[in-house]
Structures are given as structure tokens and as C-alpha cells.
């Protein structure tokens, strides 16, 4: 699933459990620990110095991964603590081919509402499934303070 900032003030939550946190942080640390290897090989080995610029890419990649894991942890914890049950009804659905060889993506426009959740519209992006048709309804969890939401069961 990918995260989309949505429309208006709603935001699709980045959801992740303990396994995602551990794996993501191990990968980020691996990027950071491996970053000095290329410049060291350029200085002490037979590697051309231009390859050492990939170290910057490794540091940046590690930072992005670490940030995504932190956001997923915060969003998941917040919805577990402050989330309210709601219903998300698909009012528009579009199947998108990312044209990079990966699976198609569904871009859904949802109307979300519930007993303790004022109605709002949001955009939800996820892997395409045939069940994502206009009129279909799904359980959602929403933090009504700023409409952070997910369709992923917590």
C-alpha cells in the first residue's frame, strides 16, 4: 500500500506493525553503516573515486526509510489510541498502471463517516483489487481531530 496525502484535510495513515519497524530500521542502519565503505575503497582500494558518491545516496535512502518507519509507528499508535470506527464508501475509483512493471494501483475517492466521525471525502491509494468498485463500503478507523484514516484493520 502506498500513502497519499489525500484531498482536503484528510490524510491516509501509514500503517505498520512491529515487524515493519524492525525490518525498516535494520535496512536504514545497513544503509548508514555501508555508506563509508565506498569512499574507503576509493582511498585504500581499486575503486574509482566517482563511486563514492553513491554513499550520499545510501545516507539519503537510510534517512527516508527511517522517516517512513517513524511515521508508520506514530500513525498506527495514534489511530489505536484515538481512532473511531467509521464506514468508507467508494464514490469514485480509478485503476492506474504505474508503467514501471509493478502491479496496478487503485486510486479511490471515499466518503467517510461514522457515529463520532463527521462526514468527509478523502483519497485512498492501494494495490488494485477487483472489490474496489463504486458503491462498495469498507470499515475504516479515523482520528476525527484531523481526519487521519485507514482501511487497514488495526
Amino acid at each position: 500500500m502506498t500513502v497519499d496525502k489525500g484531498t482536503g484535510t484528510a490524510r491516509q495513515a501509514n500503517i505498520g506493525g512491529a515487524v515493519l519497524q524492525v525490518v525498516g530500521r535494520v535496512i536504514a542502519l545497513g544503509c548508514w553503516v555501508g555508506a563509508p565503505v565506498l569512499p574507503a575503497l576509493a582511498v585504500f582500494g581499486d575503486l574509482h573515486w566517482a563511486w563514492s558518491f553513491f554513499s550520499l545516496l545510501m545516507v539519503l535512502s537510510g534517512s527516508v526509510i527511517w522517516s517512513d518507519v517513524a511515521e508508520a509507528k506514530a500513525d498506527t499508535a495514534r489511530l489505536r489510541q484515538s481512532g473511531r470506527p467509521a464506514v468508507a464508501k467508494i464514490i469514485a475509483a480509478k485503476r492506474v498502471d504505474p508503467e514501471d512493471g509493478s502491479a496496478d494501483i487503485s486510486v479511490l475517492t471515499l466518503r467517510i463517516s461514522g457515529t463520532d466521525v463527521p462526514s468527509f471525502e478523502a483519497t485512498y491509494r492501494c494495490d488494485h483489487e477487483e472489490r474496489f468498485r463504486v458503491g462498495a463500503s469498507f470499515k475504516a478507523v479515523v482520528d476525527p481531530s484531523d481526519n487521519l484514516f485507514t482501511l487497514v484493520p488495526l
Side-chain angles (χ1 to χ4, degrees):
M1 178 181 340
T2 61
V3 176
D4 182 36
K5 297 304 179 191
T7 58
T9 60
R11 182 172 70 85
Q12 178 180 339
N14 188 349
I15 301 297
V19 172
L20 173 74
Q21 291 175 36
V22 170
V23 170
R25 293 202 172 167
V26 165
I27 292 170
L29 289 171
C31 288
W32 292 333
V33 168
V37 170
L38 293 175
L41 286 174
V43 172
F44 301 111
D46 293 332
L47 189 66
H48 190 272
W49 65 270
W51 283 98
S52 63
F53 287 114
F54 279 103
S55 293
L56 178 61
L57 182 61
M58 292 173 67
V59 169
L60 292 175
S61 296
S63 298
V64 168
I65 293 167
W66 192 275
S67 175
D68 283 350
V69 169
E71 180 183 49
K73 181 180 179 182
D75 285 356
T76 303
R78 198 168 124 204
L79 286 175
R80 283 188 175 142
Q81 181 180 8
S82 304
R84 304 283 186 269
V87 174
K89 184 173 183 175
I90 299 175
I91 57 176
K94 185 167 74 168
R95 184 176 183 167
V96 178
D97 180 1
E99 298 181 5
D100 62 1
S102 61
D104 288 352
I105 294 173
S106 288
V107 179
L108 310 174
T109 303
L110 306 172
R111 179 167 292 117
I112 302 174
S113 62
T115 305
D116 297 328
V117 179
S119 181
F120 65 94
E121 287 189 13
T123 301
Y124 188 80
R125 295 175 55 90
C126 58
D127 292 339
H128 176 74
E129 295 180 31
E130 292 300 323
R131 65 188 180 121
F132 296 137
R133 295 181 307 272
V134 173
S137 295
F138 299 93
K139 292 181 181 178
V141 178
V142 178
D143 181 348
S145 67
D146 65 352
N147 294 339
L148 178 69
F149 73 98
T150 187
L151 302 183
V152 176
L154 299 176

